[in-house]
Amino acid sequence: MDVDRLLRMNARSMLQLADFVLDNPGAAEEAVQQAFAAAWRQRKVVSDETAFRPWLRRMVLRECLGWQRHPMFRVLALTDRVVVQSESTAESGVAAALKRLSPSVRATVFLHLYDGLSIAQVASELRAPQSTVQARLRGLPGLESSILRYTTARAAQISDNQADALVSRAVARRSRRRGWIRYAVNIASAVTLALVVIASGIVIQTQLHLFQARAPDEANLGPLPPIPNEVVYLVNGSGDSGLVIPFRLRDAQPLSARSQLIVAPGIALQLVRATDCSATTVSLVDPITRKDVRPEVMLPGCNDFPLILPDGTVLLDQAQFRAGIVIRYDWRTDRIVKKYPNLAVPPNGGLVSNDGQILYTLDLFSANTTIDFTDLVSGAQLAHLPIVLADSGASGGLALSNDQKTLFVNQGHQLASFDARSGVAGPTIAFRDDKISAAPAHRWWLPTISEAQAALDAGRGIAVDPLGRWIAAVGFSDPQLRGIWLIGTSGRLHLVRRFFPSAALTGLAFSLDGSVLYAIDGTGLLVFDPQTGRTIKRFTYPAVVGAYGIAGVQAP
């Protein structure tokens, strides 16, 4: 099968879809390029040309709806765009109305009205219940014809030549992967450093006499903590999304890539879906060599987004096959032990309580962002909470307190808390410099955090201190919010400090003893002293550059 030819045949329609869904020409092109590069890497998955277009569309949709998890899209100033939006179209009344909709709702509109997919087909493409799709479309009575005219006019702006240019760039990216990102970041870093040096030179004469009196004495802050002898597991977008790269800090040595879907010591889960979604091959393999350790088995339908539970069973989303169905699969007995007909596991995963009874999901792809609490024993929905999540590549994420009584949510502009059983809202801490204090004013009901769990999605920006002193959260990319916010947990929740105000942060994790904080910013792995906010070290080795998340931390 000629994959390059099929990509060119479908490039224009995929770019039209991404442009409409994201309402951002630059982001649309970047998303399609990422999807096309991934499609080429996974080209052996599809052997039937008739199944290629639906498969490719699902990849583009997934990239569009999840593009915000890649903050490099927002950091790099990419100027060689091929999508051009006319002012008359952009300023139309319909465009203004559609702009207020979320990407997932715009995807629903495009697939149903422009591509002509049925409600069931749209639900399958978006991994959403049919009732959700119907609810999204119910708000459009009388506007269908106007929206269709606008969509047609907007799609017509994208020519075959423009789409071919995009494919050519995706092919080039395929060969060099993310090398250009490193070059761009290096150039940007050099320019920034030059500007800082120039600015420093201008004011250095006036600042020298103030420095000794007003600058903090670095020695008074105490020595920097040593870098622990640990292994940080990095998520790298240039390879298989099911693999992580262990990075050994002791000698800055990347180890062999391995699966992150570990279901038992020495056993990892691997899923291969049939092109027609009729079945999924389940393999149990060695995490490093990926050689089978048990015979393969078959599950009906397209199973995706595996979530490993504490008892070793696995949640699998069958939404690509049937909208809104999640199964609980026991790989040891090859049995489906339970079905959840009204549950969907989003691509950004979920968080499970220590006892395996409650699943917490942060649904980024509905018309309104929600947090859902699901009882995994009965299948009942315990809470369905609307929440405002800042439009940021790294802000967002869930964490549980050690006693499992409190759920924390990083909203990008504040840290929210909820009762982990009932969903009743607790205190919130706004990310504001004027709220930073050295100590809390009084004690409150919230339990101390220790050995808390972070959300399973490596791209989300929240981490908890194993010793119960802090929560670290990545702020929205706005200049007033960007950076790492450290929230103290002794007594009442309170802001301790804000440091490293970068818009490129994509992942956080504390060391096992809580002495240091690890962060990914697109150009490397950083190690911070949480006590003072000082940078201990930056690792910029090839295996680290290009990583966009931290999957976990372990002893060597």
Side-chain angles (χ1 to χ4, degrees):
M1 187 173 63
D2 189 346
V3 176
D4 284 347
R5 176 180 60 83
L6 293 174
L7 289 177
R8 293 187 186 278
M9 286 176 56
N10 292 283
R12 185 172 181 236
S13 60
M14 296 300 122
L15 189 55
Q16 290 168 339
L17 168 63
D19 178 57
F20 186 87
V21 170
L22 293 178
D23 194 33
N24 183 316
E29 182 181 339
E30 186 70 21
V32 174
Q33 286 188 60
Q34 291 282 359
F36 277 23
W40 189 88
R41 291 194 299 268
Q42 302 175 33
R43 61 193 180 279
K44 294 182 180 180
V45 173
V46 180
S47 57
D48 183 3
E49 288 195 7
T50 59
F52 186 84
R53 178 182 170 84
W55 174 74
L56 182 64
R57 182 169 55 201
R58 283 195 294 271
M59 297 192 72
V60 171
L61 278 171
R62 179 185 295 187
E63 194 67 39
C64 286
L65 296 180
W67 76 280
Q68 297 166 358
R69 290 190 293 166
H70 301 273
M72 292 304 295
F73 294 171
R74 309 175 72 91
V75 176
L76 297 180
L78 304 177
T79 58
D80 52 342
R81 297 302 179 196
V82 300
V83 180
V84 179
Q85 188 176 3
S86 66
E87 292 185 3
S88 60
T89 300
E91 295 174 358
S92 67
V94 175
L98 291 172
K99 189 181 291 289
R100 292 192 292 269
L101 301 178
S102 68
S104 56
V105 176
R106 290 197 295 268
T108 302
V109 171
F110 189 94
L111 294 176
H112 184 61
L113 295 183
Y114 187 78
D115 278 354
L117 300 187
S118 66
I119 299 294
Q121 289 172 321
V122 174
S124 178
E125 294 286 328
L126 298 178
R127 301 170 24 269
Q130 293 189 30
S131 58
T132 299
V133 174
Q134 292 169 339
R136 293 173 182 175
L137 296 174
R138 273 199 296 268
L140 308 176
L143 299 177
E144 290 89 344
S145 59
S146 298
I147 293 176
L148 182 58
R149 285 194 300 270
Y150 164 75
T151 307
T152 303
R154 179 168 184 153
Q157 298 176 36
I158 300 173
S159 68
D160 289 329
N161 290 336
Q162 292 171 327
D164 283 342
L166 182 144
V167 176
S168 298
R169 284 165 40 185
V171 170
R173 169 177 293 188
R174 179 186 73 200
S175 61
R176 67 176 184 266
R177 293 196 175 181
R178 297 196 175 195
W180 62 271
I181 291 182
R182 293 195 291 270
Y183 299 144
V185 170
N186 288 339
I187 292 173
S189 300
V191 171
T192 302
L193 180 60
L195 292 175
V196 169
V197 171
I198 293 172
S200 300
I202 295 175
V203 301
I204 193 169
Q205 293 298 325
T206 59
Q207 293 294 319
L208 280 175
H209 72 282
L210 297 175
F211 179 80
Q212 293 182 344
R214 300 175 58 181
D217 187 352
E218 191 83 359
N220 291 338
L221 297 177
L224 289 170
I227 297 177
N229 181 19
E230 295 177 343
V231 177
V232 180
Y233 288 82
L234 305 174
V235 182
N236 194 308
S238 63
D240 188 333
S241 60
L243 300 179
V244 293
I245 299 175
F247 188 77
R248 191 167 58 202
L249 298 176
R250 182 182 68 245
D251 53 1
Q253 180 67 38
L255 307 178
S256 300
R258 61 199 63 194
S259 172
Q260 59 180 321
L261 300 175
I262 307 296
V263 294
I267 301 178
L269 186 73
Q270 181 173 290
L271 304 174
V272 178
R273 296 171 294 279
T275 56
D276 59 357
C277 272
S278 60
T280 300
T281 302
V282 179
S283 302
L284 296 167
V285 300
D286 182 277
I288 300 177
T289 65
R290 282 169 280 173
K291 293 182 178 180
D292 291 338
V293 297
R294 294 195 181 190
E296 294 180 345
V297 296
M298 303 294 292
L299 282 177
C302 271
N303 297 272
D304 206 350
F305 310 124
L307 187 60
I308 301 171
L309 303 182
D311 65 355
T313 59
V314 183
L315 292 182
L316 298 171
D317 195 320
Q318 290 190 325
Q320 290 184 342
F321 180 58
R322 298 188 185 101
I325 292 182
V326 171
I327 63 171
R328 186 168 184 168
Y329 174 67
D330 189 337
W331 56 272
R332 292 158 295 202
T333 60
D334 187 28
R335 291 177 54 244
I336 297 175
V337 296
K338 191 171 184 60
K339 293 185 177 181
Y340 303 92
N342 298 312
L343 177 63
V345 178
N348 50 300
L351 177 65
V352 182
S353 59
N354 280 347
D355 57 12
Q357 293 189 3
I358 300 181
L359 169 67
Y360 307 92
T361 54
L362 181 62
D363 187 356
L364 306 176
F365 309 111
S366 297
N368 298 301
T369 304
T370 58
I371 300 174
D372 292 297
F373 295 30
T374 303
D375 187 330
L376 293 178
V377 178
S378 66
Q381 186 179 77
L382 302 178
H384 180 73
L385 309 173
I387 192 166
V388 176
L389 190 68
D391 181 20
S392 170
S395 64
L398 307 175
L400 276 171
S401 60
N402 184 56
D403 62 5
Q404 306 288 286
K405 291 183 178 180
T406 306
L407 177 73
F408 296 99
V409 183
N410 176 14
Q411 295 181 251
H413 65 285
Q414 65 180 15
L415 183 77
S417 63
F418 300 88
D419 183 277
R421 296 287 167 173
S422 66
V424 173
T428 60
I429 301 296
F431 296 166
R432 291 172 51 186
D433 287 322
D434 60 352
K435 294 295 184 180
I436 293 177
S437 60
H442 57 275
R443 301 190 63 82
W444 66 307
W445 63 270
L446 190 67
T448 299
I449 301 171
S450 62
E451 299 180 0
Q453 297 175 320
L456 298 182
D457 178 18
R460 314 287 357 138
I462 188 170
V464 288
D465 170 28
L467 300 184
R469 297 164 294 178
W470 308 297
I471 303 171
V474 174
F476 172 51
S477 58
D478 181 272
Q480 295 181 344
L481 295 171
R482 67 180 55 162
I484 299 173
W485 296 83
L486 198 69
I487 298 96
T489 61
S490 59
R492 174 191 177 189
L493 281 184
H494 59 284
L495 284 177
V496 176
R497 68 178 51 84
R498 172 194 181 194
F499 57 97
F500 199 72
S502 168
L505 292 164
T506 62
L508 297 175
F510 277 99
S511 61
L512 298 179
D513 62 0
S515 63
V516 303
L517 176 68
Y518 305 116
I520 292 288
D521 74 344
T523 64
L525 171 67
L526 297 109
V527 186
F528 295 103
D529 175 13
Q531 292 273 13
T532 62
R534 292 177 293 173
T535 301
I536 302 173
K537 187 177 180 63
R538 175 192 287 271
F539 294 93
T540 56
Y541 296 86
V544 178
V545 175
Y548 67 84
I550 300 176
V553 179
Q554 289 185 0

